[in-house]
Structure formats: C-alpha cells, structure tokens
Amino acid sequence: MNTAPTVRHAIAYAVAACLVPAAAPVFAGYNSPPDNIRQVMRAPALPAPMMSPTGDRMLMVSMQEYPSITRVAEPFLKLAGARVEPRNHSKHDTPGGYGINPCVANLDLVNVADGKQQHIGLPAGACPGTPIWSADGKRFVFSNVAKESVELWVGEAGSAKVRKIAGLKLNPMFNEEVQWMPDQQHLLVKLVPAGIGNAPTAPASELSPNIQESTGKAGQSSTYETRDTLKSPHDEALFDYYAASQLALVNASSGKVTLIGKPANYDSLEPAPDGKHILVDRIHQPYSYVVAYNRFPVDIEVWDVSNPAKVAIKTIASVPLTDSVPVRGVRKGPRSHVWRPLQPATLVWAEALDEGNWKVNVPARDKVMMQSAPFTAAPVEIARTTQRFAGISWTERADTAMLYEYDANRNWMRTAIFNADKPEQAHRVWVDMSTEDRYNNPGSPVMRRLPNGEAVIRMDGNRIFLTGSGSSPDGDRPFLDRLDLETLTSERLFRSGKDAYERVISLQSGDGSRFLTLRQTPVDPPNVWARSLGTTQSADKGEAKFALAGQSLTHVEEVTPVIRQIKKQLVKYKREDGVDLSFTLYTPPGYKEGTRLPAILNAYPLDYADASKAGQVSGSQQTYTRLRQYKLLLLSGYAIIDSASFPIVGDPRTAYDTYLPQLIANAKAAVNEAVKMGVVDPERIGVTGHSHGALMTANLLAHTNLFKAGVATSGSYNKTLTPFGFQNERRSVWEAPEVYKQASTFFFADKLKTPILIMHGEDDANPGTTPLQATKLYEAIRGNGGITRLVMLPHEPHWYTALESNEQEVYEMVNWFDKYVKNASANVSEGK
C-alpha cells in the first residue's frame, strides 16, 4: 500500500500547521518529548465519516488533534457547572469539564454513488464545530468560534460551499444553540440578546461572608452532580447575564431572522414534529450555591410559535430547586420530556414513584405519562416500569415502540415492546439481561430520520435492524442483524471478518441488502466501504449467511508509517480466584522475538455484579493502531500491557468492600501473564492510569512490589473528600468509613516508597478529581520521605487538551519511566 501523503493530507497538514502552536507564542516553560514521538503527535488527525440522513452523501470530518495552549488558556468564568469565555460568549469546555471542544480542521464532501470528493473551504483562522445535517441532506450547519462571537455557518451539499449568516451571535452556554426545525428550511437558534450591554462588574462592597445554611433536612447529593458552583450575588448576576438567550428562527436560504419570545435563561429546546410547538426548559431563580445549574428551578413550557409575533406559552411543569437528589437517584416530579415523533405535538415523560431513591422498595419505580396539544386535557399514564425508566425508542409504526428500564442494583436492562396508545395491552419483553453480558448483547435498533427530522427505528415490514459490537472471546466483531418483531427471532446479515474491524454506518436499501461500513485493520486507517449481500451461504453459528461484495469509497492513507511496525495481540488468562481476564500486548517497532522489554501496564477498574461477565473480552485487535499518551512510549522501546482487565466484582451496593484485594489480584495476574510470555522483564515494569485508573496506580504502588514506578494522571486519592459516593460506591463515608479509607492512597502515603509521578490539570472541573487531590497526595508522600514529582498543567481540565500540555505529559512519562523502570538497575541506590 502506498504510504505517501495524498494531496488531501497535504492540505490537512497545512491546516493543522495553522491550528497548532507553530504560529502561536512560544511557551518556554514547556518541554517536548523525543523527535520521533513529537512527529507522530503533530501528524494530522484522520477523518471520520458523518452520513447525511438520506444516505447519498457524507462529510469526512477531521478534528484538530490538539489545540494550542493559547486557546486553552483563554480566560473563562465558572458559572454553576458552565464555563464561559467572556471575550466571545463561547463555551470553554465539553459538558462535565473534561476538555476543550475540538475544532474541525478539515472537511470534505463525498458523493456515495461514485465516491467523488470535494474539499470544503473553511473560514480562515476558524474553529468550526461539528456539522449538523438537515434531514433532507441538502444542507448542513455548524457554529464557528470567532474572535468576538460564536458565528452561524450554513453549508450547501450540492455546491460544497459554506457561508456565514451575518449579524448573528450564538449563545452556546447550555448547548443546543442551533438545530433544524421540522421544515428543514429554518433553524432554531439561541442568540446573545441584542443590546445586552456590558457584563456586571463586581460591586465595591463585594467583600462579604459567604453564608450557607441547613435547616435539618437531609441534603445528600452525588459527588458528580456538583462543580464550579456559584459563590456570591455577583456570580448570580454573571450567570443571568451569560445564560440569557434570545430565541429566533433563521431561514437557512435567505438568512432572515425572526425573533420569538423574550430573552431568558433557556436550557433544553426541542421542536415538535408539527413545527408549530417547541418544548422549552427555562431556568430561573432562586439559585443554589451547592449544586450546578441542572438542579436549578426550571419551568418546562410548550411554546406555540405559529405566530412568532405573539407566542402562546403553556407551562407543563414547574420544577423547584433540587439540591438533595439521592445518590444515583433522580429528582421528584416530571422529568425527561420528549415529543412522540409520529404525532404532531404529543409529549411523553416519566415521574418517579419511589421519591427518586433506589433504596425505597416499591412495586414500580416510575410511571410514564403522555399529553397532547393543546395540553388542556389531563395527562394519561401509558406505562409503569418495575425499575428506573431509561427511555423509549419509537418505530416507524405508531403502534410499536421500545420501552427501556434499568435496574441499578443488578446492572440489568429490560426492553419491552409496547403500544403507547393501548396501555392496557401487556408488554412483550424482548431483552431481559445483564448490561455486563457483552457476548449476548443483541445490539441496538438502527434508526432513521423522518423528513421532519425526528429519529425513529427503521423498519422493513415487521422487521427491524440491529447493529452491535459483536463481542466474543476473540474480540469485537461488529454485526448487522434483522429482527422479526412477531417471532423475536433474528437473522444475521453481516459480521465483520476476523482479519479486520468493520462496522455498519448506513443502510442503503430498505431490506438491508446494501449498506456502508467503516473498515480498518491494525495497519490500514478507517475507510468507508459500499457493501452488498449476495447468494445465501452456509455459515457457522453467529456468522453471516450471505456472500459479501464491496468496494472502498474513500482512500484515507496512513501518515505515520512507523505505526505499521507495532504489533499487538490479545492475551487471555485467569485471576487467582478463577475470574477470566485479558489485556492487549503491544510491542514496539523493531521488536525481536525472545527479547525481554521494559513494560508499562495501563488499566481502568470497572465494576461487575457477575463474576462470569467480568472476564468477557471487549475491544478488537484489528483496529487501526493509534498512539496517544502512554502508548506513545512504544516509540521509546517499551512494551505496553494495555486495557488490562481490572474487574471489581460483587453486589453493586457493597462491591467496594473488597476493592483493594481485588485490585492487587488483578495486577498480579496481569504481570505474571506478561512475564510468562517472555516479552516483559519482571524487574522493569511500570504502571499508569487516568482518573479512577490513577487511584489504581497509586494504590498498587502503595500495596504491592510489582512495579518499579508509576504515573498517575488526574486522580482522586482521598475519598473522604468525596463523602457522598465515588465511582460506583453508593454509600456515604459515614455509612462505610473503612471502605473509603481502604480505597484512599492518602492514608497509606507513609507506605508508598515506589517512585510516583503525579500529574493533574489545574482547572479540572470533574468534582471527584479536584486539583487539591493531587497536591495533597504529593505533600503526604513527600512528608513521609517518598520519591515523587508533581506536575500541575496550567489551564487544563480533566483530560489534557493543549498540544504543549500533551507533549509535556509524554515528556514527563518518558523521563520518569526511563529513570525508574527502563534504567532501574542503574538507579537502584537512588532514594534509598
């Protein structure tokens, strides 16, 4: 295969050069990894397909791999769980505070019929967001973060041209700042209100006590529901200023703007299928200094916008401030409102019957309600769920829908087929199984967009289509099935071969005989293929019964040829108690069989209620090899023991009672297997993990002698600082104090003598992993005479985003592991 960069990749390189810090100020305080690693990190990202709803075209979208530190360091405000850049009213990070939203670096339009590709010229110096197709496939829109505002751009699929709608300033603070209306001619947008003036300034008398009060009522709330809370009346004023939006309809052809309603703090918006009604969530005071904006009071309204000059508003529900939701629970009252896609304006929602608390024993946890325009008749109950309501998928037929419910006490999902218009009819259960059972997962229904933009389950007569990962003992092999809703029997149409990883991305015919896939191998980047089914063939159980023909529609080529020399294999083994485990072993370029290498183990502990499911293999060895973070150390001569199974098995309510011994047993099993293979040097193994994996790393260094050094990134090491639950532990620290202590490395810092590098983003907004966690663990280890290094990355959230920060992370890892793992024997006396 020719590995020379194509013309398109040359363009991508040029675009990337404009977006990464080559043209940005030089930050002398940052370090870079070795040249061979840096070259791979700075290579342009590979494109991914975005199919049009009509299936005749697709956008090949390349995202910027790493923004510059200049962009990441842009000043922002922390406003009740939202982060806003005041310079241009843009959103500073992704929901949850996990990283900066990436820019689109390159955009191409591909015609499915002949594979013809057209390059789309993006605005110079732009930071475009992910495109959104219209349901008719004729246009796409995207927001663009410019210097002084967030702009609205429209693309024409016929001409591959894009243009800006002049004079508009979008407000993306709560997301959903732009979406298509059902006519696919107009856009519903949130605008920064005209004449908004300057942001409130802090009053001279702002210095005052910050006072909160509890009146004796329990106010328990999950750790993960709170971040960047408001702190003062001035914060409240800033929140109102930046949250305020003016709703408007924009004609995508002419650019004409029609304002609707008055400015307010609008959160979620959803147009009804009839195009006349809009479901609106409007946040209002009183606010809280304890929880984020998603728990603030909200009026759930339906707007009739048939006459934009005189909008009629109907309040469906008024939800008060909710600052005491039980851990893993839901709020009381109506929630999760959605429109029925096949009716003009009919709302469906859920209401808790157990106070929103999973600890309460009741015959049914939720009821599902329905109400139609004009919303004067009382809502009707259409279903009850024994466990927590988890949503509805509507099909193309009004009498058939899928009702989902989830049992958090067993990690169990139930899916039933029901008729929302005849609630008295018994539901037919289709799926009733553990969510941990990957091997028997039947897949998810294939959806399609109706002309009004609503998503429904695609049907072929009485049959639907299912796609899934196809997990098996040999790894994932994605599939396409056809399920008969009468007999509930399925027929396998396609399954990825064992020599590649191929998944269906679009059906091209009503009967599923023609479809598009995204195919890749360890050395071949993902490319789109047109596939068709042929003559019926005999097949083994679980295999497709049809011959397969096809051709590649795209021709994305590799830009980092060194990756071809990296080998990987699936390794399966057992824990000492018999639990099946696995990892993927990567060996570096130029590896010679029989040579023992320094190695790095990476894992992320996951919780399982069923030991028999904990060892099920996930992932595939046939995916294209991508190098990020610790995997880049393959280019420094390390073997990587990747995605090692680290199950924490037990009743979800008490599993963490045995967290530490299970963690140690997982590590011993992985290390023993890697050594037994003859690839890994037992005296030169390091360990690394991110977030909950960072806690794993620190605990393994404190409680075992399996590793020579570790690198922990963005972790939480003192669980008493997250007293109302962590990970899947639901009990509070007062209910299970010993569990919190045993899981917390902080309390064992005096025993942690193995070198540990601690890294953290200074602006980590994940409530469970505040930067304080890193500094306090470092101080504890240092105070007890341990070998440690603390690297705090300025302006970074939970996942590090800037090129400079990522290069610093890899630089630190290479130096740390080289010193204490690869060259361990040369440093044996250091620190003793």
Side-chain angles (χ1 to χ4, degrees):
M1 181 178 183
N2 180 15
T3 58
T6 62
V7 172
R8 187 181 62 75
H9 275 108
I11 295 172
Y13 269 120
V15 173
C18 295
L19 292 170
V20 298
V26 176
F27 290 79
Y30 286 88
N31 301 106
S32 293
D35 287 346
N36 63 328
I37 295 179
R38 187 170 65 252
Q39 289 171 6
V40 171
M41 294 183 72
R42 296 197 176 196
L46 297 173
M50 285 190 63
M51 295 301 307
S52 72
T54 49
D56 58 340
R57 295 184 177 96
M58 59 185 167
L59 290 167
M60 295 297 288
V61 183
S62 299
M63 304 304 294
Q64 179 187 4
E65 196 74 32
Y66 305 105
S68 70
I69 190 63
T70 303
R71 180 176 171 228
V72 175
E74 181 69 30
F76 64 91
L77 300 172
K78 302 176 181 181
L79 299 174
R83 291 186 164 191
V84 180
E85 296 180 10
R87 177 172 62 90
N88 54 16
H89 221 112
S90 68
K91 190 176 182 67
H92 186 74
D93 63 358
T94 58
Y98 292 101
I100 300 299
N101 281 305
C103 307
V104 172
N106 195 68
L107 198 60
D108 295 310
L109 185 69
V110 179
N111 186 44
V112 169
D114 56 14
K116 181 182 177 182
Q117 183 168 306
Q118 295 174 277
H119 179 67
I120 296 176
L122 296 173
C127 182
T130 304
I132 305 170
W133 279 104
S134 61
D136 58 14
K138 295 179 179 179
R139 295 188 179 96
F140 55 90
V141 296
F142 59 87
S143 60
N144 177 51
V145 180
K147 183 177 181 180
E148 296 181 350
S149 66
V150 179
E151 304 167 341
L152 176 63
W153 286 69
V154 176
E156 302 289 340
S159 64
K161 302 293 185 183
V162 296
R163 55 189 167 82
K164 183 175 77 170
I165 303 295
L168 296 187
K169 296 181 179 181
L170 298 177
N171 184 357
M173 179 167 165
F174 297 140
N175 304 310
E176 297 183 353
E177 65 271 23
V178 55
Q179 54 189 300
W180 289 99
M181 288 293 287
D183 64 1
Q184 307 305 305
Q185 300 298 315
H186 291 83
L187 296 158
L188 175 62
V189 299
K190 295 178 183 177
L191 301 177
V192 175
I196 193 172
N198 296 323
T201 57
S205 59
E206 176 68 9
L207 188 62
S208 62
N210 182 343
I211 300 172
Q212 300 183 48
E213 183 177 2
S214 176
T215 58
K217 182 180 178 181
Q220 186 179 113
S221 192
S222 173
T223 297
Y224 300 102
E225 294 169 355
T226 306
R227 72 179 184 100
D228 293 349
T229 55
L230 302 178
K231 302 291 191 299
S232 67
H234 178 56
D235 280 355
E236 294 187 52
L238 287 172
F239 179 86
D240 280 332
Y241 176 84
Y242 287 102
S245 293
Q246 171 66 61
L247 302 189
L249 297 175
V250 178
N251 187 301
S253 298
S254 66
K256 180 183 177 181
V257 179
T258 303
L259 303 182
I260 52 176
K262 297 179 179 180
N265 300 345
Y266 301 117
D267 186 6
S268 176
L269 304 176
E270 186 180 350
D274 65 1
K276 298 179 181 179
H277 295 85
I278 300 174
L279 179 65
V280 177
D281 286 2
R282 181 174 57 85
I283 297 171
H284 60 80
Q285 294 194 12
Y287 300 144
S288 169
Y289 293 2
V290 177
V291 295
Y293 73 83
N294 61 327
R295 298 296 189 193
F296 286 177
V298 60
D299 285 344
I300 300 169
E301 304 169 338
V302 172
W303 291 17
D304 184 340
V305 296
S306 52
N307 180 5
K310 191 176 181 181
V311 175
I313 299 176
K314 173 72 174 181
T315 299
I316 302 299
S318 292
V319 182
L321 176 66
T322 311
D323 56 1
S324 59
V325 176
V327 175
R328 305 285 175 185
V330 297
R331 74 185 187 195
K332 301 176 186 178
R335 70 179 197 281
S336 305
H337 292 73
V338 295
W339 295 110
R340 280 191 67 173
L342 298 183
Q343 296 194 3
T346 296
L347 280 177
V348 177
W349 67 88
E351 295 183 23
L353 297 171
D354 61 356
E355 303 295 310
N357 190 345
W358 65 270
K359 294 181 179 180
V360 175
N361 293 320
V362 289
R365 293 204 177 277
D366 281 322
K367 63 180 179 180
V368 185
M369 309 298 292
M370 185 169 70
Q371 188 180 31
S372 299
F375 306 102
T376 53
V380 297
E381 183 178 318
I382 61 172
R384 290 201 172 198
T385 58
T386 305
Q387 296 301 326
R388 186 68 65 213
F389 172 76
I392 296 176
S393 289
W394 306 92
T395 72
E396 296 184 60
R397 286 189 351 203
D399 63 352
T400 305
M402 301 285 190
L403 175 66
Y404 305 101
E405 57 183 284
Y406 178 66
D407 182 355
N409 291 327
R410 294 193 299 155
N411 294 342
W412 203 270
M413 180 67 76
R414 184 176 185 265
T415 305
I417 302 169
F418 85 116
N419 184 342
D421 296 317
K422 295 184 177 180
E424 70 279 3
Q425 289 185 351
H427 299 176
R428 293 197 302 129
V429 176
W430 168 44
V431 175
D432 193 20
M433 62 180 293
S434 167
T435 56
E436 299 166 358
D437 189 356
R438 299 186 184 96
Y439 292 174
N440 293 300
N441 190 315
S444 300
V446 174
M447 310 297 286
R448 82 173 183 92
R449 291 279 174 186
L450 297 175
N452 63 11
E454 295 287 335
V456 295
I457 297 175
R458 184 169 189 153
M459 298 193 72
D460 174 26
N462 198 50
R463 300 176 296 185
I464 67 172
F465 299 93
L466 305 169
T467 57
S469 59
S471 296
S472 75
D474 297 320
D476 291 353
R477 294 178 60 197
F479 63 83
L480 172 67
D481 284 0
R482 189 164 49 196
L483 174 72
D484 188 306
L485 292 182
E486 287 294 330
T487 64
L488 296 182
T489 57
S490 62
E491 175 185 30
R492 180 137 296 174
L493 303 180
F494 164 80
R495 190 180 190 190
S496 177
K498 295 180 179 180
D499 60 344
Y501 181 84
E502 188 171 4
R503 62 180 180 88
V504 174
I505 60 172
S506 174
L507 295 188
Q508 296 287 293
S509 64
D511 63 357
S513 62
R514 292 184 293 110
F515 48 89
L516 301 183
T517 67
L518 191 65
R519 184 181 189 276
Q520 59 188 296
T521 73
V523 296
D524 298 315
N527 273 290
V528 177
W529 282 64
R531 294 294 198 179
S532 60
L533 301 179
T535 308
T536 302
Q537 303 287 320
S538 61
D540 296 332
K541 183 179 179 181
E543 298 295 325
K545 300 178 180 178
F546 299 90
L548 189 66
Q551 61 179 348
S552 178
L553 291 180
T554 61
H555 305 282
V556 177
E557 295 185 355
E558 188 175 20
V559 294
T560 51
V562 69
I563 289 177
R564 287 179 173 272
Q565 302 175 43
I566 293 170
K567 305 298 181 185
K568 59 181 174 180
Q569 62 177 307
L570 174 66
V571 180
K572 293 184 283 187
Y573 53 101
K574 289 183 181 292
R575 203 165 72 176
E576 60 185 3
D577 58 1
V579 173
D580 290 319
L581 305 175
S582 65
F583 60 69
T584 298
L585 181 68
Y586 290 80
T587 51
Y591 173 68
K592 295 181 180 179
E593 291 291 335
T595 305
R596 288 197 179 271
L597 298 172
I600 299 166
L601 181 146
N602 176 268
Y604 188 95
L606 295 173
D607 306 316
Y608 293 87
D610 186 344
S612 68
K613 308 300 188 296
Q616 290 189 354
V617 176
S618 63
S620 171
Q621 314 312 303
Q622 302 307 322
T623 55
Y624 180 67
T625 301
R626 299 171 187 258
L627 301 184
R628 294 200 67 168
Q629 298 160 327
Y630 63 91
K631 284 186 184 177
L632 286 158
L633 271 69
L634 282 160
L635 304 180
S636 286
Y638 289 87
I640 301 294
I641 306 167
D642 193 38
S643 299
S645 301
F646 265 63
I648 307 301
V649 182
D651 186 318
R653 291 165 289 193
T654 57
Y656 273 79
D657 291 355
T658 57
Y659 162 76
L660 198 55
Q662 290 198 65
L663 203 70
I664 294 170
N666 292 329
K668 285 182 178 178
V671 167
N672 290 343
E673 188 64 26
V675 171
K676 187 171 71 174
M677 294 176 67
V679 176
V680 171
D681 183 346
E683 299 301 320
R684 295 189 297 165
I685 305 176
V687 60
T688 186
H690 185 83
S691 195
H692 196 46
L695 174 65
M696 171 207 75
T697 296
N699 275 331
L700 290 176
L701 297 182
H703 298 287
T704 78
N705 59 1
L706 296 169
F707 306 99
K708 292 296 183 182
V711 177
T713 57
S714 299
S716 172
Y717 313 103
N718 183 349
K719 292 305 181 184
T720 67
L721 298 180
T722 58
F724 292 108
F726 63 89
Q727 204 64 8
N728 286 321
E729 173 55 58
R730 305 166 184 180
R731 296 165 293 184
S732 72
V733 67
W734 298 278
E735 295 172 293
E738 195 59 30
V739 170
Y740 278 71
K741 179 182 177 182
Q742 288 297 319
S744 301
T745 316
F746 179 84
F747 295 108
F748 302 94
D750 58 327
K751 295 179 172 57
L752 208 168
K753 302 304 181 184
T754 306
I756 181 171
L757 167 64
I758 304 166
M759 300 188 70
H760 215 104
E762 287 187 349
D763 278 317
D764 190 342
N766 181 20
T769 57
T770 61
L772 179 68
Q773 293 274 0
T775 57
K776 289 303 178 183
L777 180 64
Y778 170 77
E779 290 171 3
I781 296 171
R782 178 179 177 273
N784 282 283
I787 302 172
T788 185
R789 178 178 171 89
L790 176 66
V791 179
M792 302 297 290
L793 296 170
H795 309 292
E796 289 293 351
H798 190 62
W799 286 99
Y800 317 142
T801 51
L803 178 67
E804 291 87 346
S805 301
N806 278 275
E807 289 189 348
Q808 184 74 39
E809 178 189 23
V810 178
Y811 165 86
E812 296 286 349
M813 282 188 168
V814 170
N815 286 353
W816 193 258
F817 283 131
D818 277 0
K819 182 175 184 179
Y820 293 112
V821 175
K822 181 185 287 185
N823 304 315
S825 59
N827 295 285
V828 71
S829 62
E830 185 169 343
K832 297 296 184 181

